[in-house]
Amino acid sequence: MNLCVLGAQWGDEGKGKIVDLLTPHFNVVARYQGGHNAGHTVYVGGRKFVLHLIPSGILHPGVICLIGNGVVVDPRALFAEVDELAGMGFDVRGRLFVSDKAHLILPYHRELDILSEARRGDRKIGTTSRGIGPAYEDKIGRRGVRVGDLRDTSADGPLVGAIRENVDARNRLVGNSEMKWQDVLADLRTAWVRLEPFVTDVSLYLSRAMAAGQRVMFEGAQGTLLDIDHGTYPYVTSSNAIAGGACTGLGIGPKTIGAVLGVTKAYTTRVGEGPLPTELLGEMGERLRESGQEYGASTGRPRRCGWYDAVAVRYAVRINGLDALALTKLDVLDGIEALDICTGYRCGTDVLTEMPGDTAQLALCEPIYETLPGWREPTRGITRYMDLNANARAYVRRLEEVTGVPAAIVSTGSERDHTIIRDDSVAAAWFR
Ligand code: GDP
């Protein structure tokens, strides 16, 4: 059965670890949206790997990794990652393929990202300044440059025309410096020499792989609440991080997605701006940040931390049709006396049990909590559910009740084997 693994909160849920863990049971891992703004951290044998663009499945020899048309690709970032992996002994040749329909992030996109954030002032989004948003803007504006466009760099070809127009537009916007389209083109010509062997028709590749009985994992980046349509707009990413994004971002039919696994932390975090109803600004927020090491894998920015928001996760269950949760970082809660779970929002005189679509309204919502006792016995590294202490089990059980889906995987540490796979859950089939 094919499986879609995605973030069910505001990103950074620990998807990297979960994808890495599941990868040996799949033949292909396909990334469907986002860019190198993602940061998936995987620890294997004490070694740390941070992957931004390349699916974390690459750490498993023999597994094919695909970057779909829904992803935006900065060739420099891609090759930096390829080189870093090579330096660590991972050869990606013949195992990594990029869609010819994926859009490119070009140097002017990075500049426009920074400029646009500066112009927004107090209303800034908190982007990673990597050019992701402007690259998607060009895609939707039908002036973007796709990987496959690099095949034809002739003077009267569509690539040269697009680059000229885009660089002209950039020069009009950024008044104090001049970018030369010829320089951009020269860099792209150089990039193509290296990129070409990686380029393929990802949709066709997947279709053939699935017809041959291969199992595919679809990997989402960021998280449901950062989805361009269903997240806390405008404080969102520029792509569809939800399960539906796998179809458009890879060119697959919805029925090929066998099951959907949502990754959530045992609490909540968010990086950048935008509402976060359960945010803890005091000592407890600091404690979660320090024990959970909540600093962005891509940017090092401190993440905002709060209690588990079951309203947000229930929303993710609905939007993605989640079959199960992978609950990560349970160990971060070790030693905390009492744990709050947000089961509803108070908004003025209204009590809401569903996520409001209006971000301004969400910003005014106060969480309604129920409190469960914490635990002193460490959960870190535990691999069997029954070895968790009774309060930790009760906490997991309550999260399952309030979200309406089973926690099929519970993660108790950053290492691969710090994981509980619930044999009695849907997850058992994914590990066969
Ligand atoms: P992603 O973008 O969703 O892959 O998440 P990140 O990689 O940005 O953040 C997850 C961080 O949490 C990484 O440093 C992981 O190694 C770490 N991590 C994942 N699962 C666990 C866990 O169960 N316990 C602890 N303590 N850390 C974890």
Side-chain angles (χ1 to χ4, degrees), residues 42-49 88 414-417:
V42 185
Y43 286 88
V44 187
R47 285 209 293 170
K48 181 179 176 181
F49 300 87
M88 287 171 141
S414 50
E415 285 282 338
R416 249 181 212 166
D417 54 3

Side-chain angles (χ1 to χ4, degrees), residues 170-238:
R170 174 267 171 215
N171 287 341
R172 284 195 299 276
L173 268 168
V174 185
N176 55 357
S177 73
E178 188 81 359
M179 184 180 275
K180 288 202 164 57
W181 65 265
Q182 292 91 339
D183 293 344
V184 177
L185 185 67
D187 284 350
L188 287 177
R189 279 206 175 103
T190 311
W192 179 244
V193 174
R194 214 175 157 193
L195 197 55
E196 191 177 5
F198 293 97
V199 178
T200 199
D201 180 334
V202 162
S203 165
L204 186 61
Y205 190 103
L206 282 170
S207 161
R208 287 181 176 156
M210 291 188 281
Q214 298 202 347
R215 296 178 76 189
V216 183
M217 182 163 31
F218 309 110
E219 180 183 357
Q222 290 89 42
T224 301
L225 279 306
L226 293 176
D227 181 272
I228 182 78
D229 287 290
H230 299 284
T232 51
Y233 192 89
Y235 303 102
V236 289
T237 199
S238 302

Side-chain angles (χ1 to χ4, degrees), residues 115-133:
L115 197 70
S116 138
E117 281 286 84
R119 285 200 172 150
R120 290 182 74 98
D122 287 349
R123 291 172 48 253
K124 73 177 194 299
I125 308 291
T127 77
T128 52
S129 308
R130 307 235 156 132
I132 314 282

Side-chain angles (χ1 to χ4, degrees), residues 12-17 39-41 43 297 303 328-332 380 411-414:
D12 309 313
E13 298 92 346
K15 297 177 291 295
K17 169 181 164 164
H40 298 307
T41 315
Y43 286 88
R303 296 178 184 142
T328 64
K329 296 199 155 183
L330 188 68
D331 55 298
V332 173
R380 194 177 146 72
S411 173
T412 57
S414 50

Side-chain angles (χ1 to χ4, degrees), residues 7-293:
Q9 293 166 316
W10 278 272
D12 309 313
E13 298 92 346
K15 297 177 291 295
K17 169 181 164 164
I18 301 299
V19 169
D20 174 69
L21 185 75
L22 283 156
T23 297
H25 308 279
F26 291 82
N27 307 96
V28 181
V29 181
R31 171 89 186 265
Y32 59 83
Q33 45 71 236
H36 62 300
N37 50 346
H40 298 307
T41 315
V42 185
Y43 286 88
V44 187
R47 285 209 293 170
K48 181 179 176 181
F49 300 87
V50 183
L51 293 152
H52 300 283
L53 194 54
I54 300 177
S56 20
I58 206 74
L59 303 175
H60 296 260
V63 173
I64 299 292
C65 290
L66 305 176
I67 295 178
N69 60 278
V71 177
V72 283
V73 178
D74 181 333
R76 285 195 297 183
L78 177 69
F79 290 123
E81 222 166 298
V82 167
D83 292 342
E84 200 182 327
L85 282 166
M88 287 171 141
F90 294 92
D91 187 0
V92 304
R93 278 172 305 176
R95 296 213 291 126
L96 174 68
F97 297 100
V98 182
S99 167
D100 55 354
K101 291 182 189 156
H103 278 249
L104 289 170
I105 301 174
L106 295 169
Y108 46 84
H109 291 135
R110 286 187 290 273
E111 287 184 344
L112 296 177
D113 204 350
I114 295 164
L115 197 70
S116 138
E117 281 286 84
R119 285 200 172 150
R120 290 182 74 98
D122 287 349
R123 291 172 48 253
K124 73 177 194 299
I125 308 291
T127 77
T128 52
S129 308
R130 307 235 156 132
I132 314 282
Y136 278 115
E137 280 178 42
D138 277 0
K139 170 179 172 171
I140 302 301
R142 294 171 290 189
R143 54 180 177 266
V145 175
R146 308 206 287 187
V147 167
D149 294 338
L150 301 187
R151 289 189 186 105
D152 177 7
T153 57
S154 60
D156 54 354
L159 172 70
V160 171
I163 299 283
R164 285 181 79 146
E165 276 170 34
N166 290 338
V167 171
D168 275 354
R170 174 267 171 215
N171 287 341
R172 284 195 299 276
L173 268 168
V174 185
N176 55 357
S177 73
E178 188 81 359
M179 184 180 275
K180 288 202 164 57
W181 65 265
Q182 292 91 339
D183 293 344
V184 177
L185 185 67
D187 284 350
L188 287 177
R189 279 206 175 103
T190 311
W192 179 244
V193 174
R194 214 175 157 193
L195 197 55
E196 191 177 5
F198 293 97
V199 178
T200 199
D201 180 334
V202 162
S203 165
L204 186 61
Y205 190 103
L206 282 170
S207 161
R208 287 181 176 156
M210 291 188 281
Q214 298 202 347
R215 296 178 76 189
V216 183
M217 182 163 31
F218 309 110
E219 180 183 357
Q222 290 89 42
T224 301
L225 279 306
L226 293 176
D227 181 272
I228 182 78
D229 287 290
H230 299 284
T232 51
Y233 192 89
Y235 303 102
V236 289
T237 199
S238 302
S239 58
N240 284 117
I242 62 166
C247 296
T248 54
L250 289 165
I252 54 160
K255 286 185 284 190
T256 58
I257 304 175
V260 189
L261 173 67
V263 186
T264 78
K265 284 175 190 170
Y267 48 97
T268 306
T269 66
R270 150 164 225 169
V271 72
E273 311 303 317
L276 185 65
T278 61
E279 182 166 17
L280 294 163
L281 294 170
E283 222 170 275
M284 186 55 77
E286 194 54 37
R287 174 170 182 165
L288 288 174
R289 181 156 41 252
E290 288 314 311
S291 50
Q293 277 306 292

